[in-house]
Amino acid sequence: MNREKRNFSEWLLEQLCREEYLEEILGDLGEYKEELSSKPKWQRKVLYWFHVVNFLKPWSLKKFEGSQKLNQYGMFKNYFKTSLRSIKSNGLFSSINIVGLAISMSVGILMILLLSELNSFDDFHEDKENIYRVTSNKFMYGQELDMGSASYFVGDEVSRRVPGIESSVIIREGVSADIGVDAGLIHLSGLYSTPDFFEVFSFKLKQGNPETILDGPNKIVLTSSIAMKLFGTEEVIGRTLDFQSTGGWQTRQINAVVAGVMEDPPKNSHLQFESIVSMDTYDQPATSGTGWDANYRTDPQDFQGNYAYLKLKDSTSPKDVESSMAEIVESYNAAQDHAVTHLLQPMDTFVTSDKYENDLGPRFSQSQLNVMLVLALVVLLSACFNYTNLSLARWLRRSKEIGIRKVSGARRGQVFTQFIVEAVMLSLLALVVGIGIFLLIRPGFLNMPNPASSGHSMFSLDIGLRQVLYFIAFTFGIGLVAGFMPAYFLSKLKSTVIFSDASKVKVFAGLNFRKVLSVLQFALSIGLIMCAIMVNKQYQFALNYDIGLDTENIVNVKIKGDYQELLENEYAKLSDVVEMSTSMMTMGTGSAELAMIQPEDKSSQSIIFWNGIDHRYIEMHNVELLAGQGFLNPLVNGQDREQIILNEHALEALNLGSPEEAIGKFVHMRGFWRAKLQVVGVAKNFVNTSINTLGQGEIMMNKGFGFVQRVHSETSGLLGVKFRGNDLVGLMRELEAGFKLHDPEHNFEAEFYSDEIADTYAAQKTAFTLISFLAFLAISISVLGLLGMAVFTTESRMKEISVRKVLGAGIKQLMFVLSKSFIWMILVSGAIAIPSAYYVVDKELLASYNYKVDIGLVEFLSGFVIVLFIGVSSIIWQIRKAAVQNPADLLRNE
Amino acid sequence: MGKYSIGEFEEVILLTVAVLYENAYGISIKEDIEKRLGRKVSVGAMRTALSRLEKKGFLKSEFGEASAVRGGKRKRYFKVTPHGKKALEKVMEDRSKLWEAIPSMAFDFKFA
């Protein structure tokens, strides 16, 4: 027999089948396998296993040892019955276990669904394993950046020059428009794409010729749902669609002809869009705005929002393509300080990779997933511990049953199986309840902001047949884990010992094990509570951090056209409006423009971030100036920018000396415009990014920042409105009414400044919500367990309590005696949990934060105190009940 | 009768083994029955029938040579024994006796 090639199915059959048939069965299986090789992969697997299982029939199975028959249904039926009885007769313990397991299983279910949906992302593409995205590594903003985007140049060159590429497509972001139809405004989003879009991807085209559909300019493919919204029908080929697209910092007029209609992209597609516009359309210059470069097809620098996908032939190795790409950019790199390198990213990592900045599609990073998995595991283990603990504690009740079974000839393995079956059954009951709980928490989870994408809306979390199978397998696993220890200990008991002198077994090996489990469980709860409290403190800290700007009572209204002044006049009429000022972007949320800046003598250069503001901005937002003054007059259209306000970091980077010295000096600035600017003011450093996150945050941290003047009445930007009074709803309504008066075409977009800042910290908020939710679950589970243990202890010590009482013990003394061991356990778990949780929070959770909150004594002890309080009160509740009973009632019946 | 007692399914199997002559083994028997007679055959039932037939002495089996298709496993080939042939003949004979005994009117359904 070929030992090396033996796989699991063969091993299984070897174990189970009679020797005389084995060779034949394996041979037949081999033949079936051959037959199946023409079927698709999943069918092959399923049918193969069908055949494997089909061979496991009474005729083929080995006779089992001794008098035992293969048919053990009777035995299992018996296990099933005794399990049911035992679950029923111990209502309290069963319900504690079921509730605990159900709570933790709801989290487990969530994780299973999350995992299976993440794994199935982009599964609908044929040849998914051959599709790659070109990534770029480039030195930018003072550090190396891995980006999911790549220049048109490299995508184009590689597909033309390198053999072994079946097809390729280049996609560009930036189709975004509000289109007016009879029913109102419809928002249209989309991508620009080169012609082979439908060859690389397996999106289903309903109408249109896939060969030529995106050839040439002014062609658009609509998804069927947007076609229905725009035209009310799907028969739209040849109809024209004219709109102004404002995306990627520019506005362009697109007069497109509908060339095709496709099915909506599936939810598990990383590309989400409503329309595809042919790339040739993008050749025409933008009507206004910045960022369009006529040479975008040949510029190896043009990385922004441009994505190249390659579909390789089966025989092509991605490594070869990568080295070809290196050759393509070689000549370009030779002239650069920092080389650009391009690599290939396989499709199955598009969603889970957290390596790449600037990528397309939703993300749920592996690290994020790992944190959630660990937390879910903690909660699950906690519930398993409960089961183990309570079953071990109650061993005495079951010992007689075990004794009888053993005397009647049960082997250890059979008693073991019996307890495992019981645990699995209980878990199955818990699964039913758990699915119910899951359905309750699902909407909450889906609505939680996802730090890496627009929301958890990338998931649907639907339960299908396959998922149910996963759940059941998972439940069996849980049952096994929870039931293993009790089954192991209980099946070890000897019947002679059980019947002769039960007190001998009192010193039970399980006892210490039980305590260890309880301590662990409490340590986990304490740790989770501490984490939740500290993450929340960091979140609050970030929200209230003085970023150096006044953001209270300010609403930022988006300006979308040539009516700034009219709008201001309109708003000035409102009684609640105090002041107004305009800027290009919102400060403090991480958005900013980038430019090169040099002192007048060009002796050094530095990157600075900048924002355009008007002459009223500094005053309205209370930006503190160390020297000089703000802008005095509005910058009228056509006038050149002449002044700049720098912050302290910028002075440092440019060696401009002290704030006072810097005033009046000149600098050269080069962004997508160039200017020589005079420093008129120096501002204190402020925070213009999420203060918590690394990555982009770090890039923008401690970098120079400058304010230049925003052109008055530019067609885009923000109008900051400072208001008084508390009628926020009324104010918003008035603002919207005023906006609609001058811009009936666009949607009114306005946000409270403080809300925008809060959005910047959505990731922390999510982390806090998740951790505190899980902490809540963990603590409920451990308190349930504690309650069960307290009930059990008091019940089994009733006689002791009565005797003590008769001998004169007071309630207080009794409570002390009974709760001593529990409190001791909580103290030990606190001693374990506090330092380790502190370590985790300090070194892992908050390690990546720029400004860390101080952890005080309160946070330090909080989790411990909470657990101690809840634990002690639940014990006392139980013990009090026992302690106040009349001892005569208990002792009389002896 | 006793000596040649044989069930309907057993008869089908035995006949198929004879039909396949030198190529009668597990899968081929199953597939041949399924193809020729259009009825589903479960592996278990076929195995039981084969082993029972062998026990009764109507069939004998031997391992053939290993083939690559079957992952190097040998096939167990079945052959009808003379005793088996007699059994089949007996069944045939019994049937034809019965057929001959049917009066011609019995199957005349026109006026029924």
Side-chain angles (χ1 to χ4, degrees):
Chain A
M1 205 168 293
N2 191 347
R3 290 256 157 207
E4 298 96 77
K5 270 183 72 182
R6 208 171 57 162
N7 53 26
F8 174 68
S9 55
E10 289 176 12
W11 173 86
L12 187 78
L13 289 172
E14 267 170 44
Q15 297 307 307
L16 295 174
C17 292
R18 285 190 224 177
E19 218 124 279
E20 63 253 44
Y21 287 128
L22 187 63
E23 186 163 2
E24 254 183 289
I25 289 175
L26 292 181
D28 285 0
L29 206 57
E31 212 162 305
Y32 282 133
K33 203 172 183 176
E34 197 80 359
E35 266 172 47
L36 291 174
S37 57
S38 60
K39 302 244 161 110
K41 199 173 168 195
W42 69 270
Q43 266 188 26
R44 214 152 63 203
K45 275 229 152 113
V46 171
L47 289 173
Y48 177 76
W49 274 98
F50 167 77
H51 283 305
V52 170
V53 175
N54 206 18
F55 277 119
L56 300 175
K57 289 279 169 65
W59 63 267
S60 66
L61 289 175
K62 272 179 190 162
K63 289 267 183 283
F64 284 85
E65 39 162 344
S67 60
Q68 261 178 273
K69 284 270 148 40
L70 166 76
N71 182 350
Q72 292 186 334
Y73 300 132
M75 209 58 218
F76 272 100
K77 211 167 133 190
N78 176 270
Y79 292 158
F80 187 71
K81 211 180 265 174
T82 38
S83 303
L84 259 189
R85 281 179 193 158
S86 130
I87 289 173
K88 247 195 256 166
S89 65
N90 295 298
L92 178 69
F93 293 100
S94 312
S95 44
I96 286 180
N97 279 324
I98 291 179
V99 171
L101 281 171
I103 291 175
S104 65
M105 270 178 171
S106 61
V107 180
I109 288 169
L110 177 68
M111 293 317 296
I112 291 175
L113 291 178
L114 218 58
L115 277 178
S116 74
E117 278 184 26
L118 270 182
N119 277 335
S120 71
F121 241 84
D122 289 315
D123 258 1
F124 61 93
H125 293 299
E126 285 165 33
D127 307 318
K128 178 190 176 192
E129 57 273 24
N130 288 343
I131 301 179
Y132 294 84
R133 176 156 71 188
V134 179
T135 66
S136 314
N137 178 288
K138 196 185 172 201
F139 194 86
M140 249 172 113
Y141 311 142
Q143 70 174 55
E144 293 225 350
L145 276 186
D146 282 310
M147 287 178 291
S149 57
S151 59
Y152 187 102
F153 169 76
V154 73
D156 190 39
E157 289 286 307
V158 77
S159 59
R160 278 194 283 127
R161 296 227 297 236
V162 181
I165 293 176
E166 195 169 303
S167 52
S168 72
V169 64
I170 297 167
I171 290 173
R172 198 171 183 97
E173 282 179 306
V175 179
S176 168
D178 289 318
I179 299 178
V181 295
D182 294 343
L185 279 179
I186 301 284
H187 184 79
L188 173 77
S189 72
L191 304 163
Y192 297 100
S193 167
T194 52
D196 284 347
F197 188 81
F198 292 95
E199 274 175 46
V200 175
F201 302 120
S202 307
F203 294 109
K204 289 214 176 61
L205 204 53
K206 282 181 160 176
Q207 295 169 42
N209 178 0
E211 306 278 307
T212 59
I213 198 157
L214 290 168
D215 281 346
N218 299 327
K219 289 192 171 175
I220 189 168
V221 177
L222 299 176
T223 62
S224 44
S225 63
I226 196 78
M228 284 303 287
K229 273 195 219 158
L230 288 173
F231 296 105
T233 163
E234 283 185 14
E235 306 295 319
V236 292
I237 293 219
R239 310 255 303 245
T240 53
L241 195 60
D242 299 342
F243 55 91
Q244 273 218 320
S245 168
T246 52
W249 306 106
Q250 50 188 297
T251 308
R252 54 175 59 241
Q253 178 66 34
I254 294 178
N255 304 321
V257 176
V258 179
V261 177
M262 59 177 288
E263 278 177 22
D264 291 357
K267 194 153 187 171
N268 65 351
S269 161
H270 82 283
L271 290 173
Q272 294 292 337
F273 52 87
E274 291 165 333
S275 65
I276 305 281
V277 177
S278 61
M279 186 66 97
D280 292 342
T281 317
Y282 191 75
D283 281 341
Q284 298 141 11
T287 8
S288 71
T290 56
W292 184 77
D293 176 3
N295 301 323
Y296 76 98
R297 291 195 187 219
T298 49
D299 182 6
Q301 285 262 41
D302 195 352
F303 284 95
Q304 286 294 331
N306 203 57
Y307 304 88
Y309 295 82
L310 306 178
K311 186 191 218 167
L312 305 186
K313 288 188 180 135
D314 284 331
S315 54
T316 315
S317 129
K319 281 264 167 292
D320 295 343
V321 179
E322 284 173 357
S323 53
S324 315
M325 288 193 295
E327 283 165 29
I328 289 171
V329 289
E330 204 176 283
S331 62
Y332 164 74
N333 275 342
Q336 300 290 317
D337 293 345
H338 303 284
V340 176
T341 46
H342 293 290
L343 296 174
L344 292 181
Q345 181 192 14
M347 194 170 217
D348 52 4
T349 65
F350 282 4
V351 179
T352 51
S353 167
D354 43 8
K355 191 174 158 197
Y356 301 103
E357 306 270 338
N358 191 21
D359 61 352
L360 201 57
R363 257 199 285 170
F364 198 86
S365 67
Q366 194 65 44
S367 53
Q368 199 183 348
L369 189 68
N370 291 347
V371 170
M372 285 185 68
L373 278 176
V374 168
L375 290 174
L377 201 68
V378 165
V379 174
L380 276 169
L381 277 182
S382 193
C384 288
F385 288 174
N386 264 358
Y387 183 86
T388 308
N389 259 345
L390 290 174
S391 322
L392 281 177
R394 294 183 313 124
W395 73 273
L396 201 63
R397 294 195 175 198
R398 301 298 291 274
S399 64
K400 293 256 157 61
E401 181 194 332
I402 298 161
I404 298 282
R405 278 181 187 275
K406 286 212 162 175
V407 166
S408 355
R411 285 157 197 238
R412 185 167 174 197
Q414 289 167 322
V415 177
F416 185 84
T417 319
Q418 184 204 336
F419 283 98
I420 292 286
V421 168
E422 198 173 312
V424 169
M425 273 184 55
L426 202 88
S427 324
L428 281 171
L429 284 178
L431 175 68
V432 177
V433 184
I435 290 180
I437 300 179
F438 164 73
L439 292 178
L440 289 180
I441 60 173
R442 181 169 79 168
F445 178 79
L446 288 178
N447 289 334
M448 222 159 27
N450 176 354
S453 72
S454 55
H456 287 94
S457 55
M458 61 190 279
F459 300 110
S460 52
L461 300 184
D462 288 329
I463 302 175
L465 186 69
R466 203 165 70 157
Q467 279 78 6
V468 170
L469 290 180
Y470 288 154
F471 295 163
I472 291 175
F474 163 71
T475 310
F476 271 78
I478 290 290
L480 276 178
V481 172
F484 181 81
M485 280 325 257
Y488 176 80
F489 281 121
L490 291 171
S491 63
K492 214 164 71 174
L493 292 176
K494 292 211 164 61
S495 48
T496 41
V497 182
I498 293 170
F499 292 124
S500 65
D501 189 1
S503 62
K504 264 191 196 158
V505 252
K506 251 238 146 107
V507 248
F508 190 47
L511 202 66
N512 283 326
F513 179 73
R514 232 175 59 201
K515 281 192 175 153
V516 172
L517 285 192
S518 294
V519 166
L520 238 137
Q521 205 178 26
F522 278 105
L524 290 177
S525 308
I526 294 173
L528 276 177
I529 294 176
M530 280 176 66
C531 291
I533 289 178
M534 287 193 259
V535 170
N536 186 39
K537 195 165 180 209
Q538 176 75 33
Y539 173 62
Q540 296 297 343
F541 170 74
L543 272 192
N544 300 326
Y545 194 86
D546 178 15
I547 60 169
L549 297 177
D550 209 352
T551 58
E552 283 305 301
N553 292 351
I554 293 178
V555 178
N556 287 324
V557 180
K558 245 189 201 159
I559 303 171
K560 298 172 172 181
D562 183 17
Y563 47 74
Q564 179 194 330
E565 214 145 312
L566 298 170
L567 198 60
E568 280 183 26
N569 291 340
E570 199 65 44
Y571 286 173
K573 290 184 213 154
L574 302 176
S575 59
D576 279 346
V577 171
V578 189
E579 282 183 84
M580 278 171 285
S581 74
T582 59
S583 60
M584 279 173 58
M585 281 158 289
T586 325
M587 302 285 292
T589 57
S591 54
E593 280 291 345
L594 193 72
M596 284 301 271
I597 190 165
Q598 290 179 307
E600 194 176 12
D601 55 4
K602 301 202 173 176
S603 57
S604 65
Q605 64 171 16
S606 169
I607 283 172
I608 86 165
F609 294 92
W610 61 273
N611 192 0
I613 58 172
D614 70 0
H615 56 291
R616 300 163 295 183
Y617 188 91
I618 298 271
E619 198 181 329
M620 188 173 110
H621 292 81
N622 277 325
V623 179
E624 195 179 331
L625 293 183
L626 298 172
Q629 55 193 358
F631 304 123
L632 295 179
N633 301 306
L635 185 74
V636 193
N637 204 359
Q639 215 173 356
D640 285 333
R641 294 182 177 87
E642 286 172 343
Q643 298 175 323
I644 186 166
I645 299 171
L646 294 172
N647 73 351
E648 295 166 277
H649 285 311
L651 292 196
E652 238 170 81
L654 294 171
N655 292 321
L656 291 180
S658 75
E660 286 76 20
E661 287 166 12
I663 300 293
K665 287 189 180 167
F666 285 91
V667 292
H668 295 279
M669 198 156 145
R670 183 156 53 90
F672 44 79
W673 45 263
R674 286 157 198 258
K676 189 177 174 190
L677 304 167
Q678 187 175 28
V679 180
V680 294
V682 175
K684 243 183 116 168
N685 283 334
F686 45 81
V687 182
N688 182 39
T689 175
S690 152
I691 65 164
N692 283 343
T693 48
L694 220 60
Q696 202 195 8
E698 194 188 44
I699 299 165
M700 299 183 65
M701 252 4 252
N702 308 327
K703 277 278 178 335
F705 196 97
F707 287 116
V708 299
Q709 282 186 282
R710 173 180 175 275
V711 178
H712 196 65
S713 74
E714 210 169 25
T715 53
S716 66
L718 291 169
L719 177 61
V721 179
K722 192 163 193 169
F723 59 91
R724 61 176 155 241
N726 291 320
D727 183 16
L728 302 184
V729 181
L731 177 78
M732 274 300 199
R733 204 173 294 144
E734 285 175 341
L735 290 181
E736 177 161 10
F739 180 88
K740 283 285 171 210
L741 216 57
H742 297 289
D743 189 352
E745 256 182 65
H746 293 103
N747 289 330
F748 173 69
E749 275 181 76
E751 249 186 295
F752 289 99
Y753 208 140
S754 44
D755 288 350
E756 285 185 65
I757 301 259
D759 284 347
T760 316
Y761 300 103
Q764 275 74 43
K765 182 99 198 279
T766 301
F768 166 67
T769 321
L770 265 181
I771 296 178
S772 32
F773 176 65
L774 290 169
F776 170 72
L777 293 189
I779 193 168
S780 342
I781 291 169
S782 32
V783 165
L784 273 178
L786 190 70
L787 204 65
M789 288 303 289
V791 170
F792 171 76
T793 321
T794 41
E795 250 177 33
S796 56
R797 290 171 82 176
M798 271 309 191
K799 292 229 170 79
E800 182 195 330
I801 295 170
S802 309
V803 172
R804 278 177 193 274
K805 259 188 123 171
V806 170
L807 294 180
I811 289 183
K812 263 189 199 153
Q813 284 162 305
L814 279 176
M815 299 241 272
F816 176 70
V817 168
L818 287 169
S819 55
K820 203 169 55 182
S821 65
F822 290 116
I823 292 174
W824 186 234
M825 268 181 348
I826 297 181
L827 286 177
V828 173
S829 29
I832 299 174
I834 293 176
S836 35
Y838 177 73
Y839 179 82
V840 169
V841 171
D842 196 48
K843 291 278 179 296
E844 301 293 328
L845 280 179
L846 304 185
S848 60
Y849 293 2
N850 293 316
Y851 294 88
K852 255 189 260 185
V853 68
D854 297 322
I855 297 170
L857 196 66
V858 182
E859 290 79 37
F860 216 66
L861 293 178
S862 54
F864 176 66
V865 172
I866 292 173
V867 170
L868 188 70
F869 175 74
I870 300 181
V872 167
S873 38
S874 65
I875 297 168
I876 286 179
W877 172 51
Q878 269 308 311
I879 291 176
R880 229 190 96 81
K881 262 195 352 202
V884 295
Q885 274 201 334
N886 184 356
D889 292 340
L890 280 165
L891 293 177
R892 187 170 54 193
N893 296 327
E894 186 62 13
Chain B
M1 183 98 201
K3 205 170 135 194
Y4 297 115
S5 128
I6 189 170
E8 189 267 349
F9 187 59
E10 286 176 338
E11 187 191 344
V12 170
I13 299 248
L14 204 52
L15 284 168
T16 312
V17 170
V19 169
L20 291 169
Y21 184 48
E22 283 199 310
N23 191 30
Y25 68 100
I27 295 188
S28 72
I29 300 175
K30 176 168 144 60
E31 282 175 355
D32 198 69
I33 297 176
E34 282 173 358
K35 202 174 72 206
R36 235 180 260 276
L37 304 183
R39 65 194 256 186
K40 273 267 161 213
V41 178
S42 91
V43 186
M46 183 185 72
R47 286 280 160 197
T48 324
L50 280 171
S51 60
R52 201 179 296 149
L53 289 169
E54 199 171 355
K55 220 184 276 169
K56 287 177 184 168
F58 298 147
L59 283 178
K60 65 174 185 217
S61 70
E62 58 189 14
F63 279 111
E65 273 165 36
S67 82
V69 180
R70 293 168 61 87
K73 306 291 181 306
R74 294 172 299 169
K75 293 172 183 169
R76 185 201 287 271
Y77 285 112
F78 291 92
K79 254 193 163 141
V80 183
T81 58
H83 186 52
K85 181 171 173 260
K86 269 183 208 148
L88 283 174
E89 279 164 358
K90 177 83 173 59
V91 173
M92 227 356 209
E93 202 180 305
D94 289 351
R95 298 250 162 108
S96 47
K97 265 188 211 158
L98 288 172
W99 273 103
E100 278 159 25
I102 298 172
S104 59
M105 290 295 281
F107 287 156
D108 200 357
F109 294 117
K110 264 184 209 152
F111 310 105

